């Protein structure tokens, strides 16, 4: 790094502050379709619904989850992954009534009458809830049909779909989403998602459901057509005898068939095992709670130490720093695992971008932790918030194959750099907010201490924003290179490109305000760091 650069000057200013007086200060921050409008209902009368609740044995459901399935994108994955994705889309939950996704998924196919009457489908709009008679935001599959088995929201769904997206109100949007969830349930009941049968010597490596048994030769078609009936009969026997050996053995026939005819596309066993562990651990959802708890505790100790310096508070903060580093390693391993499973860098969609930005944010905190422990505590809280947003209902954590236009090493470099800049810019905003809070609490008694800390944190905020701006600018230029490779033009003024340029211009302005005498003050810089 050049000795006369602004970055070096800021770092030296922090060192000067420390040699004159070392004080730790902080402020706790608490932030705290498949088909559209068309469905053919199964003709089970309401009076024929089986009221007996059957729960599939968990150990057997785990074995069932290890059977491989091909999704619509062509990816071969464990049924456990498919079941988790379906439950999240339909019920917006990770598990349902104490049952794991594979128990629910298998139960819906084995005993559809039970699950058709179970309030499983999430509805969020109050008007639609009232129309369907929802109980605690959930309705059953059969609630969407009248006594003559007419789909009661058909006309409304068609009308909503005919509208332009900008003209659709909240009711229309929720109606379309609910319609998709109903259709997903229907396809599960029919077994349409269970593409578990590879075809021998198929050049396209396409897998089929038991409903497509005509695609197979005589011998194989008999197996494909009859094995699921045999399997469900073995489940019935296992439930009655409370012994799941027969059902377990039947699953082996399906697994053997897959490995015999689908060996060309079946992933390595280690990759399958790792994907199952990845699904069970759900590391990123857990990290958002751990990051938030550790970050807030650390901020509390650092904030308390400014007014009453105690050795045990410093020890507690240091211990929490080590704990954050361990959590950071788990976060890193989660990203590496997702990369290994998907076969591409884990920043190709909205969910992956969020978990990557959270990782970069905490990395930025560790990079600047030597200048101030407050940065690592602040980034832990910010990373927690980012991961929380990543696990809101509108984010889909599904692992999907890359579309052809995204299969470029320029994409991996461009997205990694430009989304990584958000972590540094986010840290700058958070430090700016903390400085504004400190200004509010500044008094005659603590004026000297607070002013020193304001200088230190403002210097660090400028350093982090400087790094973020460089990354954003480089990432924007690399985005042009990728656009030229993919679409044959470097710049098209589409929304993403325009806003990338806006980011660069806004932060360039913030960093150069110091050259304007009347604008060169800490309050304006920190305020704009937050607004930026």
């Amino acid at each position: 790094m050049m000795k006369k650069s602004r970055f070096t000057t800021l770092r030296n200013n922090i060192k000067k502050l420390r040699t004159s007086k070392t004080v730790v200060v902080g402020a706790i921050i608490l932030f705290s379709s498949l088909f559209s409008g068309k469905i053919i209902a199964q003709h089970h009368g309401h009076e024929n619904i089986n009221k007996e609740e059957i729960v599939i044995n968990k150990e057997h459901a785990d074995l069932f989850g290890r059977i491989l399935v091909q999704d619509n994108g062509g990816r071969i994955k464990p049924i456990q992954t498919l079941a988790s994705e379906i439950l999240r889309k339909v019920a917006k939950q990770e598990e349902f009534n104490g049952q794991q996704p594979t128990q629910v998924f298998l139960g819906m196919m084995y005993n559809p009458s039970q699950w058709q009457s179970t309030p499983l489908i999430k509805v969020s709009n109050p008007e639609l809830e009232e129309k369907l008679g929802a109980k605690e935001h959930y309705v059953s599959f059969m609630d969407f049909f009248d006594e003559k088995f007419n789909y009661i929201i058909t006309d409304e769904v068609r009308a909503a779909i005919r509208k332009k997206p900008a003209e659709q109100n909240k009711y229309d949007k929720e109606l379309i989403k609910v319609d998709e969830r109903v259709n997903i349930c229907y396809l599960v009941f029919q077994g349409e998602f269970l593409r578990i049968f590879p075809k021998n010597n198929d050049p396209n490596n396409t897998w089929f459901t038991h409903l497509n048994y005509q695609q197979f030769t005589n011998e194989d078609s008999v197996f494909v057509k009859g094995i699921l009936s045999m399997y469900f009969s073995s489940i019935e026997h296992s439930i009655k005898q409370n012994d799941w050996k027969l059902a377990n053995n039947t699953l082996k026939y399906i697994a053997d068939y897959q490995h015999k005819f689908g060996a060309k596309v079946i992933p390595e066993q280690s990759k399958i095992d790792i994907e199952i562990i990845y699904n069970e651990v759900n590391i990123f959802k857990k990290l958002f709670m751990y990051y938030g708890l550790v970050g807030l505790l650390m901020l509390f100790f650092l904030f308390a130490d400014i007014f009453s310096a105690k050795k045990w508070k410093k020890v507690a903060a240091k211990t929490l720093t080590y704990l954050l580093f361990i959590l950071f390693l788990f976060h890193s391993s989660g990203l590496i695992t997702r990369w290994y499973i998907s076969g591409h860098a884990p920043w190709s969609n909205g969910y992956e971008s969020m978990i990557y930005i959270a990782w970069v944010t905490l990395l930025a905190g560790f990079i600047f932790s030597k200048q101030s422990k407050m940065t690592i505590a602040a980034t832990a809280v910010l990373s927690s918030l980012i991961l929380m947003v990543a696990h809101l209902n509108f984010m889909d954590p599904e692992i999907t194959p890359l579309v052809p236009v995204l299969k470029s090493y320029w994409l991996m470099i461009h997205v990694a750099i430009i989304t990584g800049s958000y972590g540094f810019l986010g840290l700058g905003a958070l430090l700016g907010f903390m400085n504004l809070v400190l200004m509010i609490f500044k008094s005659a008694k603590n004026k000297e201490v607070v002013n020193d800390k304001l200088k230190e944190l403002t210097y660090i905020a400028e350093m982090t924003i400087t790094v973020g701006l460089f990354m954003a600018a480089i990432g924007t230029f690399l985005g042009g290179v990728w656009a030229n490779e993919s679409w044959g033009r470097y710049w098209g003024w589409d929304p993403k490109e325009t806003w990338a340029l806006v980011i660069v211009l806004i932060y360039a302005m913030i960093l150069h305000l110091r050259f304007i005498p009347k604008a060169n003050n800490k309050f304006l810089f920190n305020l704009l760091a937050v607004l930026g």
Side-chain angles (χ1 to χ4, degrees), residues 131-295:
K131 178 182 179 69
L132 297 169
K135 298 177 182 178
E136 298 181 354
H137 309 296
Y138 284 89
V139 295
S140 71
F141 179 82
M142 296 306 294
D143 287 333
F144 290 88
F145 302 91
D146 61 20
E147 293 181 355
K148 295 181 180 180
F149 295 102
N150 295 313
Y151 190 45
I152 63 177
I153 62 172
T154 299
D155 294 336
E156 286 186 293
V157 171
R158 287 174 178 169
I161 291 174
R162 281 196 293 267
K163 295 180 182 179
K164 296 179 180 179
E167 297 173 351
Q168 294 172 350
N169 56 30
K170 290 183 179 180
Y171 180 83
D172 295 329
K173 292 176 181 178
E174 179 65 14
L175 190 67
I176 294 171
K177 291 178 182 178
V178 169
D179 173 64
E180 181 185 11
R181 292 168 198 156
V182 175
N183 281 277
I184 289 173
C185 287
Y186 171 71
L187 294 176
V188 174
F189 294 138
Q190 292 289 91
E192 292 280 0
F193 282 112
L194 215 58
R195 294 173 57 185
I196 59 176
F197 300 108
K199 185 178 179 181
N200 189 26
N201 296 323
D202 181 13
N204 298 319
N205 294 313
T206 303
W207 291 24
F208 300 90
T209 71
H210 70 291
L211 303 173
N212 306 117
Y213 65 89
Q214 301 94 336
Q215 299 283 341
F216 297 81
T217 59
N218 291 335
E219 297 79 4
D220 293 339
S221 65
V222 173
F223 177 86
V224 172
K225 182 180 180 180
I227 188 63
L228 283 186
S229 296
M230 176 181 171
Y231 174 52
F232 290 145
S233 296
S234 70
I235 290 178
E236 182 178 3
H237 177 272
S238 297
I239 292 172
K240 289 179 179 178
Q241 300 297 323
N242 195 25
D243 184 355
W244 288 82
K245 289 181 181 177
L246 181 60
N248 294 345
N249 289 333
T250 308
L251 277 180
K252 291 181 181 178
Y253 295 129
I254 299 176
D256 291 343
Y257 180 90
Q258 290 184 337
H259 284 84
K260 181 178 180 180
F261 296 118
K264 291 181 180 178
V265 292
I266 287 180
E268 299 174 2
Q269 187 61 43
S270 60
K271 182 175 286 191
I272 297 169
D273 294 338
I274 288 174
E275 182 167 352
I276 289 172
I277 294 171
Y278 172 85
N279 292 334
E280 291 175 346
V281 172
N282 203 357
I283 184 66
F284 301 115
K285 189 170 185 179
K286 292 176 180 176
L287 280 174
F288 106 75
M289 295 182 290
Y290 297 150
Y291 279 157
L293 178 61
V294 175

Side-chain angles (χ1 to χ4, degrees), residues 24-49:
V24 182
V25 71
I28 298 180
I29 304 168
L30 181 61
F31 296 90
S32 313
S33 247
L34 293 175
F35 301 100
S36 302
K38 298 178 181 179
I39 186 168
I40 304 173
Q42 296 185 73
H43 293 280
H44 296 312
H46 286 277
E47 69 279 5
N48 293 329
I49 291 175

